[in-house]
Amino acid sequence: MTQAKSAVVVGAQWGDEGKGKIVDVLSERFSMVARYAGGHNAGHTVVINGEKFILQLVPCGVLRPGCRGVIGNGVVLDPMAFLKETGRLRDLGIDVDSRLFVSNRAQVILPYHRMIELAAESAPGRQKIGTTSRGIGPAYEDKMARNGLRVVDLLNTDLLKTHIENACREKNAIAHALFGTEPLDPAQMYEEYAAAAEKIRPFVTDTALLLNRALREGHSLMFEGAQGTMLDIDHGTYPFVTSSSSSAGGASTGTGVGPTLIGTVIAVTKAYVTRVGEGPFPTEINDSAGEELRKRGQEFGAVTGRPRRCGWLDLPLLRYAGMINGISWLVVTKLDVLDELAEIPVCVGYIADGKKTMEIPAQASGYDKLECVYHKMPGWRTSTQGITKFDQLPKAAREYLTFVEKEAGAKVGMVSTGPDRDQIIFVDEFATEMKTASARKV
């Protein structure tokens, strides 16, 4: 068997780290890119020659000619969102029809999932998680309850009709009893989704078989994560998390590629931290400095437009992400957002109950007891935007990255210095490893 050539790109924070751009940049070196978790609540933004592409379900690799994209079994697929996104890409001249594949084992989001989530999130007395209300959580709930509909089932009209009728009977009753929600029409839903299924059918295949066969034949494969480590259902700031395994381990379960075939783990972190929605955030900035970061970093959700909460870089959190994912390399994005700061605080530890600690609390309430310990570094007060060589960075910027590398325990392999795909710095050692590991069979 040919040695596997594969890498996972994962978020090291609460998502929105810029994984879309990094996957796009690296996909030039890979044969295939496989998305392994999440749904259309995760937006990846890629800027090519000033033109912005926002992808929600489709892996960023499809923006590179010759690179195939796979939506794995760990993803929850909204058929209507998928058709809208592929149609938009087709209109932009992107070849999705011959280069995009959907797992026949992926779970399907249906309108009652959105109904349940929206009603639950809005109900008085319920703890607000800050979801996108797109049905992601309820679809994963049905999956784990062994009551979901998979893509392969979507294509079977008899099974689809029966499933929608039974599900609507149950979900309508629950939603009405708990939240007073008006019922959905199963007949109309069936007509709409049966028609959508026929448009999706050409994309559907056994993607686990496709991916493993590609690896055996010597092709290179990149796994594209959604959200970030601190939103992982098991390892994140529960319950303020997503409903899937967004850390590197999800790449195996979410695609059907065995863990021994996965090579390098590349974690993406901003030069600061953001998160969307509710939940703990130890280094959050609640003054004008936070507003300035949000403004300079254009920190608004690619999918929802929601403003992101902003904070200073959290090194204990980054070390935790390194442990959970087995990080090989760090990619630091949005370095240029810090360009105008005279001083840059970095969280190097916590104080809890009067004692120093580096540990991440298991309970969300544990974060309320943390006081951040900051190490203040000098800013560089000059533009780094568009710089493509590490030694061309200002001395203080290089020192900032070196400090992060040392404290995080993982080497910095790439630095993003602007939104465009060409505004990137490759560290020589990382570039060499990527060239060797991902040399693809054409």
Side-chain angles (χ1 to χ4, degrees):
M1 178 177 174
T2 304
Q3 184 180 2
K5 303 165 184 173
S6 61
V8 182
V9 176
V10 66
Q13 299 167 331
W14 281 285
D16 307 310
E17 301 93 348
K19 296 181 296 297
K21 172 181 174 175
I22 303 309
V23 170
D24 170 65
V25 170
L26 294 177
S27 62
E28 185 179 22
R29 297 164 167 81
F30 286 81
S31 300
M32 306 180 78
V33 177
R35 168 84 176 272
Y36 63 82
H40 65 305
N41 58 334
H44 286 171
T45 302
V46 179
V47 180
I48 305 171
N49 297 324
E51 185 175 4
K52 184 181 291 187
F53 295 82
I54 297 177
L55 303 174
Q56 294 173 247
L57 282 163
V58 177
C60 297
V62 299
L63 299 178
R64 294 281 186 178
C67 185
R68 290 178 287 173
V70 170
I71 295 175
N73 57 274
V75 174
V76 284
L77 185 94
D78 183 314
M80 302 309 179
F82 174 80
L83 292 174
K84 182 178 179 181
E85 184 173 349
T86 51
R88 186 171 64 247
L89 289 170
R90 199 179 285 118
D91 291 342
L92 291 170
I94 306 298
D95 176 17
V96 291
D97 296 291
S98 66
R99 294 195 291 115
L100 180 61
F101 304 89
V102 175
S103 171
N104 53 11
R105 292 175 170 83
Q107 295 281 322
V108 177
I109 298 175
L110 289 160
Y112 50 76
H113 292 128
R114 294 191 295 275
M115 173 184 71
I116 292 287
E117 185 171 32
L118 182 61
E121 186 75 359
S122 305
R126 293 286 291 254
Q127 184 179 43
K128 299 293 188 292
I129 303 297
T131 72
T132 58
S133 297
R134 299 193 172 205
I136 310 298
Y140 277 116
E141 288 178 27
D142 276 357
K143 174 181 179 177
M144 292 307 179
R146 304 178 300 279
N147 195 34
L149 184 82
R150 300 192 298 174
V151 170
V152 67
D153 307 320
L154 179 72
L155 304 182
N156 183 319
T157 52
D158 291 339
L159 194 155
L160 176 64
K161 190 171 189 295
T162 301
H163 182 93
I164 286 177
E165 288 173 350
N166 291 338
C168 281
R169 189 179 302 114
E170 175 187 327
K171 307 294 186 184
N172 281 338
I174 292 172
H176 182 72
L178 292 179
F179 312 116
T181 304
E182 290 300 313
L184 296 171
D185 180 358
Q188 180 183 350
M189 190 186 305
Y190 167 72
E191 293 297 328
E192 291 176 355
Y193 282 79
E198 291 310 306
K199 296 178 182 177
I200 292 172
R201 187 183 296 274
F203 295 96
V204 179
T205 190
D206 185 334
T207 55
L209 185 62
L210 176 72
L211 293 170
N212 281 281
R213 181 181 293 150
L215 285 172
R216 284 197 304 270
E217 292 174 353
H219 293 276
S220 55
L221 170 59
M222 182 163 52
F223 300 90
E224 177 182 335
Q227 288 95 26
T229 302
M230 300 310 296
L231 291 176
D232 185 274
I233 186 67
D234 289 298
H235 304 293
T237 48
Y238 190 90
F240 302 96
V241 293
T242 192
S243 300
S244 59
S245 298
S246 53
S247 55
S252 183
T253 56
T255 62
V257 174
T260 57
L261 297 179
I262 297 175
T264 301
V265 178
I266 302 163
V268 185
T269 174
K270 281 177 181 166
Y272 49 102
V273 188
T274 64
R275 82 169 296 172
V276 172
E278 306 297 323
F281 191 172
T283 65
E284 184 171 11
I285 310 167
N286 293 308
D287 57 23
S288 59
E291 289 293 334
E292 187 62 24
L293 281 183
R294 185 178 300 112
K295 179 181 175 182
R296 284 186 52 79
Q298 291 294 298
E299 296 297 352
F300 300 92
V303 173
T304 64
R306 291 187 295 179
R308 297 176 185 137
R309 299 156 63 190
C310 296
W312 303 118
L313 189 63
D314 189 328
L315 290 174
L317 185 146
L318 193 54
R319 283 191 288 268
Y320 175 79
M323 176 184 71
I324 294 300
N325 293 296
I327 292 173
S328 312
W329 292 95
L330 280 176
V331 175
V332 179
T333 62
K334 295 202 171 183
L335 182 71
D336 55 299
V337 174
L338 304 181
D339 283 351
E340 295 183 2
L341 298 176
E343 189 176 67
I344 305 170
V346 181
C347 176
V348 294
Y350 307 128
I351 295 176
D353 297 323
K355 298 178 181 179
K356 290 184 179 180
T357 181
M358 296 291 185
E359 294 185 12
I360 302 296
Q363 284 187 313
S365 59
Y367 284 84
D368 297 335
K369 303 176 182 178
L370 296 182
E371 178 185 344
C372 293
V373 178
Y374 286 103
H375 171 71
K376 294 183 178 180
M377 301 195 68
W380 39 93
R381 304 301 296 272
T382 186
S383 177
T384 61
Q385 187 164 24
I387 290 176
T388 58
K389 299 291 183 183
F390 190 83
D391 58 8
Q392 293 175 357
L393 289 171
K395 182 174 182 288
R398 297 197 305 271
E399 289 175 346
Y400 183 81
L401 294 169
T402 300
F403 181 77
V404 170
E405 181 179 77
K406 179 183 176 182
E407 293 294 317
K411 295 179 181 179
V412 173
M414 292 173 68
V415 181
S416 176
T417 57
D420 203 271
R421 67 158 48 151
D422 295 325
Q423 294 174 316
I424 202 84
I425 296 171
F426 271 94
V427 175
D428 290 343
E429 186 181 350
F430 178 74
T432 300
E433 181 174 318
M434 286 296 98
K435 186 176 181 180
T436 301
S438 63
R440 69 188 186 189
K441 179 179 177 182
V442 180

